[in-house]
Amino acid sequence: MKTAIVTGATGGIGRAVVAAMVNAEYEVKPIPHTWSDKADILICCHAAPPKSSLDSVLAIDVSDTFSMILESADHMSKNKFGRIVLFSSIRAHRPLPSQVNYAIAKGAIESMARGFAVAYGQYGITVNCIAPGAVDTPRTRANIAAGIVLESELIQRTPNGRLATVDDICNIVLWLVSDGAAHV
């Protein structure tokens, strides 16, 4: 049985990812902002709270993720197997004025995924980054309620005409951690 660490497991996507991984019979350790060097799979769903300073966002979203990958990759490299899944956001490419710090961090996460994919691919470790677009989570609902974004605009920008569900995202995660995604 593969062991997975899921960070941000108290949030909308993170909580759903933990449940999906458990249902798929992975051993899951939900850890909000810590890491383990014994994981076969690392899924980083954590994000700094809204309105955090740039220093906090960079420390939580970027530096913590970087450290977790380094620690997990040592174990994964020895086993010649590893799956790392990170989360970006549409805001990395389409920032809103009130979410500049978040956009900076998510852009860094995308670069980190590309860099680590190249660095660790030779050890059987895949590194992928999901930028799910608008997902119907409590954080998205709070942004809609606060007038930061309009639900109609989010839906209009989505090709299938709806917000993604956490189940949509969980299906992507489950595939990325599977043997079927060994070359992705």
Side-chain angles (χ1 to χ4, degrees):
M1 178 180 284
K2 301 282 188 225
T3 300
I5 299 296
V6 180
T7 67
T10 59
I13 292 173
R15 185 179 314 116
V17 166
V18 169
M21 296 289 290
V22 168
N23 287 340
E25 299 186 0
Y26 289 92
E27 179 183 349
V28 180
K29 299 179 181 179
I31 301 176
H33 290 293
T34 59
W35 49 265
S36 170
D37 61 358
K38 304 290 186 250
D40 303 301
I41 299 164
L42 174 64
I43 304 168
C44 295
C45 302
H46 63 278
K51 299 184 182 179
S52 294
S53 70
L54 179 60
D55 288 342
S56 293
V57 171
L58 292 176
I60 293 168
D61 292 14
V62 180
S63 295
D64 285 357
T65 300
F66 185 86
S67 296
M68 288 179 237
I69 291 170
L70 289 179
E71 294 296 330
S72 297
D74 186 50
H75 169 75
M76 293 176 184
S77 296
K78 289 175 188 170
N79 290 334
K80 298 290 186 193
F81 176 88
R83 298 288 185 265
I84 299 171
V85 179
L86 308 178
F87 278 85
S88 181
S89 168
I90 187 82
R91 297 298 162 231
H93 303 277
R94 296 183 72 137
L96 293 174
S98 63
Q99 295 180 323
V100 173
N101 296 351
Y102 184 71
I104 291 167
K106 293 305 180 180
I109 292 293
E110 289 182 8
S111 293
M112 192 182 313
R114 286 189 294 276
F116 279 129
V118 170
Y120 293 126
Q122 64 186 320
Y123 302 107
I125 301 170
T126 63
V127 183
N128 288 282
C129 186
I130 299 170
V135 181
D136 196 351
T137 64
R139 190 172 195 166
T140 300
R141 288 289 165 196
N143 286 340
I144 291 167
I148 295 170
V149 292
L150 297 174
E151 183 172 5
S152 59
E153 286 179 10
L154 294 175
I155 291 170
Q156 184 180 21
R157 290 184 191 155
T158 305
N160 64 0
R162 65 172 175 81
L163 298 178
T165 66
V166 291
D167 288 341
D168 293 327
I169 307 313
C170 290
N171 289 333
I172 297 166
V173 170
L174 288 172
W175 182 71
L176 287 173
V177 302
S178 75
D179 290 339
H183 195 70
V184 177

